[in-house]
Structure formats: C-alpha cells, structure tokens
Amino acid sequence: PESKMGELPLDINIQEPRWDQGTFLGRAQHFFTVTDPRNLLLSGAQLEASRNIVQNYRAGVVTPGLTEDQLWRAKYVYDSAFHPDTGEKVVLIGRMSAQVPMNMTITGCMLTFYRKTPTVVFWQWVNQSFNAVVNYSNRSGDAPITMGQLRTAYVSATTGAVATALGLKSLTKHLPPLVGRFVPFAAVAAANCINIPLMRQRELQVGIPVTDVAGQRLGHSVTAAKQGIFQVVISRICMAIPAMAIPPLIMDTLEKKDFMKRRPWLGAPLQVGLVGFCLVFATPLCCALFPQKSSIHVSKLEPELRAQIHEQNPSIEVVYYNKGL
C-alpha cells in the first residue's frame, strides 16, 4: 500500500536494530537503548501503545502522524518488554532494562557482605535466582526449556557459585584483606560458566538454527550453539569485571579513612552506587562485544551439515545464527 503524503513509508526494517550491527559502536548504541533502566518506569498502557504501533506497522498500517523517530522508539520499548519469539510480556526483573538496577543492588550487596558465611551464601543464592529468571526470559524461543532442565541449571549454578565463594573465602583467610574482596567476582565468573551452558543445554543437544545472509534456514548446528554460548559467557564475565573489580579497590581505600570509620553505614549504599555507575556502561558495552547475529565459517560446521549446505548451495561460505544474550 502506498503511503499518503507526509506519512511514513512502509519499508523501514524494524526487524533489525536501528544502528549498523557490523560495528562495535553501532552495537553499543543498540544495547544502550535496550538496557536503558528508564524503560522499567513505563506503564502497561505505554507498553501496549508501543506494541500496537509496531504490530500495525508490520501489518502495513501506519499510525497517523507517526514519525520515524517515534516508530523506532516504539520498537525499542516493545523489544524491551516483550519476548521476541513468543510475544509474551517478560516478567519485570527478567527484562534487559532491569539488568543495571538489579545487578547493581545484588552485586553491591555481594561485595559489601563478603566476610560472613551466611551472607555469602544468601547473596550468591539471590544472584543465581535472578540469573535463572534472566536466562529463562531471554532464552532463544526455538528451543523451549523444560522445568526439569531449569531446576537442574538453577541448582547447579547456585551450588557452583556458593562452593566457589566459600572455598575461596577459606583460602583467603591468610592473605591480605583486599584479596578477600575479589572472592565474589570469582564465584560469579564460575557460576556463569555453569549457569549459561546448563540453561541452554537444549541448544547443545539439538543445535541452533543457522541461516544464509538472507535469513533462510539451512539447518541446525551444535557447533554454532557452542560458539554462541561461549561468546555469551565471555561477555557476561567481562560485564562483571568493572563492577566487581573497581569498587573493591575504591572501597578498600575509603574504608581506611576516618570519615568512613565514623560512618560505617555508608559502606553498602556507596558500594551499590559505585557498582551501578560501572554497570550502566559495562552492561551495554559488553553485550556489544560480539554481534547478536554471529557468523561461522561453513568449514567449521559439523560434516553432515556442511555436506547438506554444499549440496543446497555450494557458494555459501559463511552462515549466521542468533547467539542469544
């Protein structure tokens, strides 16, 4: 359908992000928009309005007077709250826009209460429970995960994180106090290595869809799934580094000052604030380390799939897949 004068054309591709995903800068702009915590403050009515604009536009109906900027704003609001494959509204704390406030609170508390065993166990458990919600909410819709698999992943990651934290905590007793402050980071890194592959074990069993450059499905690949999961683990660990490495150094210096000794209650809020400041930048920048639509050379795929692709189209050298978050 032709658009009337002054109306938006119907050829804007809102399936893809607004910025060039082939560059780090473009990916960073995309993720700064996706992880913007202000999206959490939008009302149900505002989310519905954005969903209507996007769905109407995809169906070829342009909301009267809509500008291109408004269309993109609606797309990012819609993407921030609804699952891309199932279309269902994602639980508030599972949304990408909740990453910064939630991680800031949990990480801040992990870094503040790292001295006593019960608080170590409690905050590692809270963190893994939150991770389970996020990993479930941002799963790839093609491979549904069963409740049994969810439980296994959750219990294993929590056990792994707590065991790492307590194990390292006992080892650091005789080391300088500063070393003890880095135990929570080691535990989180270890848990990420357990949690993400387990949450996405179905992808490791049956593979994930790989497509040609035009998005045509060519088959399923376990090799691509492994590469995608590895990239996600790396970016999650990198995301935790600034937030869990910079504040401990600052707090270690501050806590030796008289000002802090007289006001010990300032420790937790200061720590949470410092973590939040780091996360606002680390979350989108680390999500942007690898393209969301990752690629892999056909020569690296499983032999059967490689043969199948060569048979269908001998000229294809590179295939694409969604790495997940």
Side-chain angles (χ1 to χ4, degrees):
E2 279 186 39
S3 61
K4 292 196 275 300
M5 273 303 290
E7 264 195 15
L8 268 189
L10 283 167
D11 59 358
I12 300 168
N13 182 5
I14 55 169
Q15 299 293 58
E16 295 292 324
R18 186 171 192 174
W19 296 276
D20 174 15
Q21 297 299 288
T23 66
F24 176 72
L25 208 65
R27 295 197 294 272
Q29 278 183 290
H30 166 68
F31 281 110
F32 266 108
T33 315
V34 171
T35 59
D36 188 338
R38 290 173 301 186
N39 287 340
L40 292 176
L41 305 173
L42 298 171
S43 66
Q46 285 169 305
L47 294 178
E48 275 309 315
S50 292
R51 175 154 80 167
N52 287 338
I53 290 174
V54 171
Q55 288 182 336
N56 286 345
Y57 187 83
R58 282 178 185 161
V61 181
V62 179
T63 312
L66 187 73
T67 67
E68 187 175 349
D69 279 343
Q70 286 168 332
L71 173 66
W72 280 110
R73 168 83 186 125
K75 172 200 150 49
Y76 273 104
V77 166
Y78 172 74
D79 287 354
S80 78
F82 296 93
H83 192 279
D85 298 313
T86 62
E88 64 197 31
K89 195 186 278 187
V90 174
V91 51
L92 198 68
I93 63 167
R95 298 178 196 169
M96 285 312 279
S97 42
Q99 280 281 353
V100 173
M102 289 297 297
N103 274 327
M104 155 179 156
T105 312
I106 297 170
T107 308
C109 291
M110 281 198 288
L111 293 175
T112 306
F113 308 112
Y114 66 94
R115 292 187 178 94
K116 293 193 171 65
T117 302
T119 52
V120 168
V121 173
F122 176 74
W123 285 106
Q124 289 291 347
W125 167 74
V126 169
N127 187 43
Q128 290 314 314
S129 304
F130 169 62
N131 275 345
V133 173
V134 171
N135 290 343
Y136 179 72
S137 306
N138 297 288
R139 69 200 180 282
S140 171
D142 270 275
I145 184 166
T146 66
M147 279 331 248
Q149 291 171 322
L150 248 178
R151 260 193 301 272
T152 312
Y154 172 60
V155 172
S156 313
T158 310
T159 313
V162 170
T164 311
L166 295 180
L168 291 172
K169 184 172 165 291
S170 64
L171 289 177
T172 53
K173 277 194 185 120
H174 312 296
L175 294 170
L178 182 60
V179 179
R181 289 179 180 270
F182 289 100
V183 167
F185 169 64
V188 166
N192 271 330
C193 298
I194 303 168
N195 193 329
I196 297 166
L198 275 171
M199 277 287 174
R200 295 175 59 179
Q201 59 184 300
R202 183 161 162 77
E203 296 169 39
L204 293 170
Q205 290 157 1
V206 297
I208 53 175
V210 292
T211 65
D212 60 15
V213 76
Q216 286 297 316
R217 229 177 238 210
L218 302 167
H220 283 72
S221 165
V222 172
T223 312
K226 284 179 187 163
Q227 184 177 299
I229 290 171
F230 176 72
Q231 289 177 347
V232 172
V233 171
I234 295 293
S235 41
R236 290 279 186 95
I237 291 175
C238 290
M239 214 181 280
I241 292 173
M244 300 190 85
I246 299 168
L249 294 171
I250 297 173
M251 293 303 293
D252 199 58
T253 313
L254 285 179
E255 282 176 9
K256 292 180 180 133
K257 304 257 185 291
D258 284 342
F259 170 76
M260 283 294 286
K261 283 181 183 157
R262 283 202 300 275
R263 300 172 184 78
W265 52 270
L266 262 178
L270 247 174
Q271 188 104 265
V272 171
L274 282 169
V275 169
F277 180 75
C278 293
L279 281 173
V280 165
F281 298 99
T283 303
L285 292 175
C286 292
C287 280
L289 284 176
F290 304 100
Q292 187 65 45
K293 191 176 173 183
S294 276
S295 57
I296 185 169
H297 220 274
V298 174
S299 60
K300 293 196 179 137
L301 295 171
E302 298 90 317
E304 319 81 78
L305 182 61
R306 199 163 56 218
Q308 192 184 317
I309 291 171
H310 274 306
E311 210 171 284
Q312 288 173 2
N313 188 339
S315 62
I316 294 180
E317 287 187 3
V318 176
V319 292
Y320 301 88
Y321 62 90
N322 174 8
K323 73 170 171 64
L325 285 168

